[in-house]
Amino acid sequence: MEKNSKIYVAGHRGLVGSAIVRKLKNEGFDNLILKTHLELDLSNQAAVDAFFNKERPDYVFLAAAKVGGILANSTYPAEFIYNNLMISTNIINSSYKYGVKKLANLGSSCIYPKCAPQPMKEDCLLTSPLESTNEAYAIAKIAAIKLCRYYNEQYGTNFISLMPTNQYGENDNFNMETAHLLPMLLRRFHLAKLLYEENFDEIKNDLQKRKIGYGLDETIDFNSEKSIIEALNKLGAYKDKVIVWGDGSVYRELMSSDDLADASVYLMQNKDYKDTGELVNITNGDDIKLSKLYEIVKDAVGLMQEIEYDKTKPNGTFRKLMDDTKIKSLGWAPKISLEDGIKAAYEWYLKN
């Protein structure tokens, strides 16, 4: 990519897309095309076609997607498969049609089978059944990978697919009902800290600024400390403790979205489809036990209470670790430690 190349980042306001935009701007790329959902509905084929016909981007980062946690995926599977299929199909086809030089398709580790051998290598794709709770989303992401591959093979395009591990960072989703693990923990611990300090002004400010979910936003009486405390207790935040699900024995892999952006821009600048193959994992290649992760988050937030495990709740999958052999062979490695990344994410949360 040249510094004046026309670059379209689809999904630029999300966790991943915004990190890519920051990275590009820091690297001196200033000819970026950014459209909100109100400006461009990516599920509308005619609108996407007209946009590409007018703008003619040189490079495309496909980071737009309908995302959510287990509850959202289980409740709205038709929406997840339809919207994500349409988004990827429209952008990939228009990128081919209007001569995009290179496209980076950002996926998810959920594409891998539920019982894939650990660590998960790229070639275990489609070797056994998917996790049922997010199957609809995963199938749409797998379809995007195959679209890129088949367009490359039939039309000679240069579309690469990048499969990141679990992400966190700036512009994350902090709704307690739909958030992924780390932002959910950061907010729960933060609210518990404020409750311990009896800082109800800051608690009100937090709850009014961001939705918390579970139907609680409409029921809290902000003139009643009792009502606020009851709501926080339902979220697992108490004055004398914080409750987490399971027993803390399982493992999770986490990566800062700024590291993912670094990998995405690096591969876009330096590697082609012939180098990456059908897909490449973007991963640290290691994971952490949840009990240890909780302590890191506790230290970052400055939480004084003890962590209590609710062992009546499920642990979830024991381990879901991605293999980093290919990405390392391509000359990239992450730079941000988990401790530093979590501190930065919490600082951003406090400022925003």
Side-chain angles (χ1 to χ4, degrees):
M1 295 187 296
E2 302 297 327
K3 297 300 181 183
N4 63 348
S5 295
K6 207 169 190 180
I7 304 171
Y8 171 47
V9 181
H12 73 282
R13 296 205 296 189
L15 172 65
V16 174
S18 63
I20 291 173
V21 169
R22 288 195 301 275
K23 177 64 178 178
L24 289 169
K25 288 182 176 180
N26 288 339
E27 292 290 319
F29 295 96
D30 55 10
N31 193 7
L32 306 183
I33 310 170
L34 308 173
K35 295 288 183 180
T36 66
H37 177 70
L38 291 177
E39 294 171 314
L40 177 61
D41 179 1
L42 295 176
S43 67
N44 185 318
Q45 187 178 56
V48 174
D49 186 272
F51 164 75
F52 272 81
N53 186 29
K54 177 185 177 182
E55 296 291 347
R56 303 291 175 124
D58 299 308
Y59 298 90
V60 172
F61 289 89
L62 174 45
K66 179 178 177 60
V67 298
I70 292 175
L71 180 62
N73 274 271
S74 301
T75 307
Y76 309 109
E79 292 181 24
F80 273 86
I81 192 167
Y82 175 81
N83 282 282
N84 286 301
L85 280 172
M86 293 303 293
I87 290 169
S88 58
T89 300
N90 292 339
I91 291 178
I92 292 167
N93 185 65
S94 290
S95 293
Y96 153 67
K97 185 176 179 181
Y98 294 103
V100 167
K101 295 177 182 178
K102 193 171 181 182
L103 175 145
N105 167 43
L106 280 295
S108 166
S109 63
C110 74
I111 63 163
Y112 290 118
K114 179 179 181 179
C115 297
Q118 307 288 313
M120 300 179 294
K121 293 181 177 291
E122 288 85 353
D123 60 9
C124 74
L125 181 67
L126 294 177
T127 54
S128 61
L130 299 163
E131 164 59 49
S132 60
T133 56
N134 58 14
E135 182 182 78
Y137 177 79
I139 288 174
K141 287 300 180 181
I142 293 169
I145 295 169
K146 295 299 182 181
L147 271 171
C148 288
R149 172 187 168 180
Y150 297 141
Y151 272 65
N152 289 338
E153 292 177 355
Q154 183 171 343
Y155 301 124
T157 51
N158 190 14
F159 300 164
I160 61 175
S161 290
L162 318 180
M163 297 302 114
T165 188
N166 302 313
Q167 299 293 300
Y168 67 89
E170 295 185 23
N171 294 308
D172 215 332
N173 170 27
F174 289 92
N175 182 302
M176 301 293 285
E177 184 176 3
T178 58
H180 290 123
L181 175 64
L182 190 57
M184 179 273 294
L185 288 174
L186 280 172
R187 193 174 187 194
R188 183 181 300 179
F189 284 22
H190 174 67
L191 289 171
K193 174 187 176 183
L194 295 178
L195 191 57
Y196 175 85
E197 297 169 347
E198 298 185 350
N199 191 341
F200 287 95
D201 287 338
E202 280 303 311
I203 292 174
K204 290 179 191 178
N205 181 52
D206 183 285
L207 298 182
Q208 291 174 331
K209 187 183 297 182
R210 290 186 176 93
K211 295 288 186 180
I212 54 175
Y214 295 109
L216 295 173
D217 297 285
E218 295 75 29
T219 63
I220 299 174
D221 179 1
F222 288 105
N223 294 314
S224 167
E225 291 184 0
K226 180 181 178 182
S227 177
I228 293 172
I229 292 170
E230 288 176 350
L232 265 57
N233 289 171
K234 290 177 181 178
L235 297 172
Y238 292 79
K239 186 174 182 179
D240 61 342
K241 63 185 176 183
V242 175
I243 297 177
V244 295
W245 282 22
D247 61 11
S249 65
V250 301
Y251 291 78
R252 292 294 179 266
E253 183 183 7
L254 297 161
M255 174 184 281
S256 167
S257 58
D258 286 319
D259 263 338
L260 172 57
D262 185 68
S264 301
V265 173
Y266 168 80
L267 292 170
M268 191 70 117
Q269 289 182 287
N270 298 288
K271 303 297 176 180
D272 297 319
Y273 177 72
K274 63 180 177 60
D275 304 306
T276 65
E278 187 173 55
L279 70 157
V280 56
N281 292 337
I282 310 299
T283 172
N284 300 308
D286 59 15
D287 53 13
I288 185 171
K289 198 172 186 178
L290 282 193
S291 58
K292 184 176 180 181
L293 174 65
Y294 296 150
E295 294 300 326
I296 293 174
V297 177
K298 180 179 178 179
D299 288 344
V301 173
L303 183 74
M304 299 301 293
Q305 298 96 309
E306 291 301 312
I307 297 170
E308 180 177 302
Y309 294 89
D310 182 354
K311 297 180 182 179
T312 67
K313 296 294 194 297
N315 278 317
T317 304
F318 180 72
R319 174 167 268 163
K320 193 177 180 184
L321 178 63
M322 298 172 73
D323 185 90
D324 65 349
T325 303
K326 181 185 282 191
I327 187 60
K328 281 187 174 179
S329 74
L330 294 173
W332 183 86
K335 302 178 177 65
I336 302 170
S337 72
L338 185 59
E339 290 82 357
D340 289 343
I342 289 175
K343 287 178 183 177
Y346 183 56
E347 289 172 2
W348 180 87
Y349 177 85
L350 293 177
K351 292 177 181 177
N352 292 274

